[in-house]
Structures are given as C-alpha cells and as structure tokens.
Amino acid sequence: MGRRQDLIDTALRLFYEHGIHAIGINQVLQEAGVAKQTLYNHFESKDSLVEAAVEHRDKLFFQWLESRMNSQPAGREALMEMFDAVHDWFNDRVPSLQRFYGCFFINTCGEYSDPDHPVHRRCAAHKTKVFELLKRHALEICTSETEADELANALFLLKEGAIVKAHVEGDLDAALKAKAIASRMISPH
Amino acid sequence: MGRRQDLIDTALRLFYEHGIHAIGINQVLQEAGVAKQTLYNHFESKDSLVEAAVEHRDKLFFQWLESRMNSQPAGREALMEMFDAVHDWFNDRVPSLQRFYGCFFINTCGEYSDPDHPVHRRCAAHKTKVFELLKRHALEICTSETEADELANALFLLKEGAIVKAHVEGDLDAALKAKAIASRMISPH
DNA sequence: TTAATGGTAGACAGATCTGTCTATTTTGGT
DNA sequence: ACCAAAATAGACAGATCTGTCTACCATTAA
C-alpha cells in the first residue's frame, strides 16, 4: 500500500498548491519517485488519481475539523472552536493540511465546473458533510430543526467567506473576524 | 479595437467556464475567429491575455453590481439589493455575466496561488473594491467607522459564502438565505 | 529452481501547448 | 489610386501532455 499512497500524497500536494490542470503526471511521478507504469497499475487515468486525491483531502480535512470541534463541549463551544481551527489553518499551524492555499474543494470546482463530473460531486459531498457536522452541533443549542438549519447555514457561509477572503486577499485574520460575527449571532442577548 | 476585445471576450468566456490552464490559446483563437499573430500583436503572452480577461471581468462585474445597488436608496436597501442581484446571477438571469460558474476571481486564484502574481493581485484588488462598495453603503447606516467596517465585512463574508455554496453544492437559493441572515443582522431591533 | 508478482526505467506514439516566422491579403486613410 | 498598417493562414520549433509498451530487476512462494 506504499506506492499508491505516495502517489496520492504527492498529487494532492501539487494539485493543491498549483491547481490540477497545471500539474502533469510526469511531475507527480518524479516527485513521488514512482515509475509511470506503477501509476497506471493503480489508477486508470489522471482523472482517477484526481478523484483519489480529492477523497484523501476530504478524509484528512474532515477528520481534523471534527476532532478539533470534539475537543470542546458539543454545541456553542464546538462551533466557536471551528473558527479557531480554521484560523490555525490559515496561519499555517496545521502541518497535516499543508500550507494554506485556500480551499482545495473550492479551487477544484473552479477547474471542474460540470456539477455531474465525479470530481465536482466529491467536492460537493465534502461541503455537505461539513455542513452536517455544523448542524449536529447547532441542534444542541437550537429549539427547532429549522432554527438549527439556519444557524448552521449562517456559520457555514461565514466560514466559506473567511476562507475566500484569507486566500484571495491574504487576510490572515479573516477567521477571527468571522468568529466575532458568529459569536454575536449565537448569543446576542 | 475590434479584434483585441474579441479575444478578451472569448478568452474570458472560456476561462470562466473551464478554468485557465484547461484552455489553450489555439481554442481561443479558433472560437474568436482571429489569427494567432494578431493575438501576439496585442498581447505579449498568454498570461498577459489572462490579465486582460481578469481586468475585463472586474469592470463588467463591478459596474453591474454597483448599478444594481444604486437602483436602491443608499444604505440598507442598497445592501439588501446586493443579495437580490447575486441571486439573479446564480440563477442565470444576468446575461452580461454569462452562465454562473462560481466567482471567476476565486476560481482564478485557485490556479494562481502566488499572491504576488499579477493575476492574483488583480483578483484581490477586485474583491477589495467590492468590499469598499459595501462599506460605503454601510457607513450610511452605521454610527462609527469601525462599526461600518464590521458590517461590511459580515455582509461580504455572507456573499462570498453564498457564491461558494451556490457553485460547489448547486444551492440556487444560497443568496436568498444569505439575505435573510443579513437582514436580521442589520435590523434585529 | 521456477514461476508469479510488482516495481523500475525509459522509449515511444500521438496529441497539444506556447510562441515565432513567413508570405499573402485585407483594410483604411489620404 | 496608392500606400502603410493590420489581419490572415499556416508552417514550424520545441516543449510538454497522457497513456502504452517493452525489457529488466527484485522479492517471494511453491
């Protein structure tokens, strides 16, 4: 299981930093130290490798975020912790997520605009999973399902907006500002 | 001024739909009906054409958004109108902005991660311009500069989040949900 | 010892990429 | 009508792209 994972790790690292269409298979092979035939033994095409990279990033990111949130009491504290977590991410304090180049899933959808493409679908599935995670915690502090849905949605939009602002404009405090807004939304009383 | 603009229009259309590195110069030339030498008379490289396309999209988008907001009284109404405007954009009711494929500037930064690259800088400048537009209107209804800054920031993050959610997850009502949140933030009293 | 497995190295095909060059034609101003 | 500027078609170079193929090597199991 070594070579396959080496390929995925290297591909993800390069795709995330430079975009997918900007990176050729040969560069992945060279930096991974793997022969070309080995790649095509494990994957039937470059797109297939891309899918595996997206899947891997999904696992890496989601498990990291979930465990960060689980380090706090469910509900309000966990939701606030999310903003501290992405703040660490923006400021390159999460080595397992690599240096910050925005959201890999957002960036990837920019290169795969067709919503039916398997790569785009995996990115969408990731975002939905994160939303559901937020909603689980929102349910802890809301009195109705729809209220929880609305809260989770608001926090989700703030988080996505912060990612974009941090990456495009280089605003490294975007997460903290988003947290301040979120904080006022949850307990403005 | 005909050929040069034809090239920019065609390049922008293709870059926006498929991403920049996925589109070759030859395809732009063919679809624009322009000869290769003509391109290199007007632009010194593909990157130079990319810059022009980003600049053009900036002008197109900003003027459209500004005029939509100016159709309403400055302040609260104009800020709310922003969400209606992007809602129309998400649902393909703004022909001048082309079919919706997310935010061209966000997508482009996904392919040009270096924040010092001219293309990335132009994208950042666009976002900053939009933020300043929001802040101008926020100042109309806020009692202090910092309060206006915070309001503009909150609305900006909600808008960016909605763009991402609409594109990645295909949520065509993302703008309306963002508007509802924003509405509660401006006048919760 | 032999056979199967899985990796390596690298040539190769065929397509496509950016950018240059030449030679011809079209266009617009005077 | 004439001339200069601008656009055209298309060959071309040199690089790079994905994917296939062959030949060789290392390990391991029968």
Side-chain angles (χ1 to χ4, degrees):
Chain A
M1 286 288 138
R3 297 280 109 97
R4 185 187 154 94
Q5 195 56 45
D6 286 347
L7 286 169
I8 292 174
D9 290 346
T10 304
L12 174 58
R13 174 172 60 81
L14 294 172
F15 291 161
Y16 179 39
E17 175 166 359
H18 298 103
I20 292 167
H21 290 105
I23 296 295
I25 284 296
N26 293 320
Q27 190 177 347
V28 176
L29 294 171
Q30 191 198 327
E31 299 208 14
V34 167
K36 186 173 276 195
Q37 189 54 44
T38 304
L39 187 153
Y40 286 101
N41 283 342
H42 289 291
F43 306 96
E44 70 172 352
S45 65
K46 180 188 179 181
D47 249 34
S48 171
L49 175 61
V50 172
E51 277 192 67
V54 172
E55 183 186 11
H56 183 56
R57 178 81 185 179
D58 170 34
K59 193 173 297 181
L60 269 184
F61 187 92
F62 187 82
Q63 287 179 354
W64 164 78
L65 180 62
E66 192 178 35
S67 86
R68 282 287 301 250
M69 292 176 71
N70 282 347
S71 76
Q72 298 290 320
R76 185 185 199 285
E77 288 89 344
L79 290 169
M80 289 299 103
E81 172 70 10
M82 177 191 70
F83 291 98
D84 291 327
V86 298
H87 178 62
D88 284 343
W89 176 35
F90 296 172
N91 290 272
D92 299 329
R93 288 194 287 264
V94 189
S96 69
L97 294 183
Q98 196 177 331
R99 242 189 74 182
F100 177 70
Y101 296 109
C103 171
F104 181 59
F105 308 96
I106 296 174
N107 297 349
T108 297
C109 283
E111 298 197 65
Y112 291 84
S113 57
D114 179 3
D116 294 328
H117 192 289
V119 169
H120 190 121
R121 293 165 82 103
R122 276 185 193 270
C123 291
H126 168 82
K127 290 294 182 194
T128 303
K129 243 166 77 179
V130 171
F131 175 82
E132 294 299 330
L133 174 60
L134 298 194
K135 189 169 170 186
R136 274 207 304 278
H137 286 280
L139 279 167
E140 298 279 334
I141 54 176
C142 291
T143 58
S144 77
E145 159 111 24
T146 64
E147 195 192 332
D149 204 86
E150 285 170 15
L151 175 60
N153 196 252
L155 300 182
F156 184 85
L157 295 188
L158 289 174
K159 188 205 66 156
E160 299 299 309
I163 294 172
V164 166
K165 196 163 172 56
H167 184 225
V168 175
E169 299 187 72
D171 181 355
L172 296 182
D173 287 329
L176 297 185
K177 298 178 198 163
K179 184 188 182 185
I181 300 163
S183 164
R184 265 172 275 154
M185 286 187 44
I186 292 187
S187 61
H189 321 288
Chain B
M1 287 287 136
R3 300 278 163 245
R4 185 188 154 92
Q5 196 56 45
D6 285 349
L7 285 169
I8 292 174
D9 290 347
T10 304
L12 175 57
R13 175 172 59 80
L14 293 171
F15 290 161
Y16 180 39
E17 176 166 358
H18 298 103
I20 291 168
H21 290 105
I23 296 296
I25 284 297
N26 292 319
Q27 190 177 347
V28 175
L29 294 172
Q30 190 198 327
E31 300 207 16
V34 166
K36 186 172 278 196
Q37 189 54 44
T38 304
L39 187 153
Y40 286 101
N41 283 341
H42 289 290
F43 305 96
E44 68 171 353
S45 66
K46 181 189 180 182
D47 249 34
S48 170
L49 175 62
V50 172
E51 277 191 68
V54 172
E55 183 185 11
H56 183 57
R57 179 80 185 179
D58 170 34
K59 194 173 298 183
L60 268 183
F61 187 92
F62 188 82
Q63 287 179 354
W64 164 77
L65 181 61
E66 192 177 35
S67 84
R68 281 288 300 252
M69 291 177 70
N70 281 347
S71 76
Q72 297 290 322
R76 185 183 200 288
E77 287 90 344
L79 290 169
M80 290 299 103
E81 172 71 10
M82 176 192 69
F83 291 99
D84 291 327
V86 298
H87 178 62
D88 284 344
W89 175 37
F90 296 172
N91 289 272
D92 299 329
R93 289 192 287 265
V94 189
S96 69
L97 294 183
Q98 195 178 330
R99 243 189 75 184
F100 177 70
Y101 295 109
C103 171
F104 181 58
F105 308 96
I106 297 173
N107 297 350
T108 297
C109 283
E111 298 197 66
Y112 291 84
S113 58
D114 178 3
D116 293 328
H117 192 290
V119 169
H120 190 119
R121 293 165 82 104
R122 276 184 193 272
C123 293
H126 168 82
K127 290 295 183 195
T128 302
K129 243 166 80 180
V130 170
F131 175 82
E132 294 299 329
L133 174 61
L134 299 195
K135 189 169 170 185
R136 275 207 304 279
H137 286 279
L139 279 168
E140 299 279 333
I141 54 176
C142 290
T143 58
S144 77
E145 158 110 26
T146 65
E147 195 191 332
D149 204 87
E150 284 170 17
L151 175 59
N153 196 252
L155 300 182
F156 184 85
L157 295 187
L158 289 173
K159 189 204 67 159
E160 298 300 309
I163 293 172
V164 165
K165 196 164 171 55
H167 184 226
V168 174
E169 297 187 73
D171 180 356
L172 296 181
D173 288 328
L176 298 185
K177 296 177 198 163
K179 183 188 181 186
I181 300 163
S183 163
R184 264 172 278 153
M185 286 186 43
I186 291 188
S187 60
H189 319 287

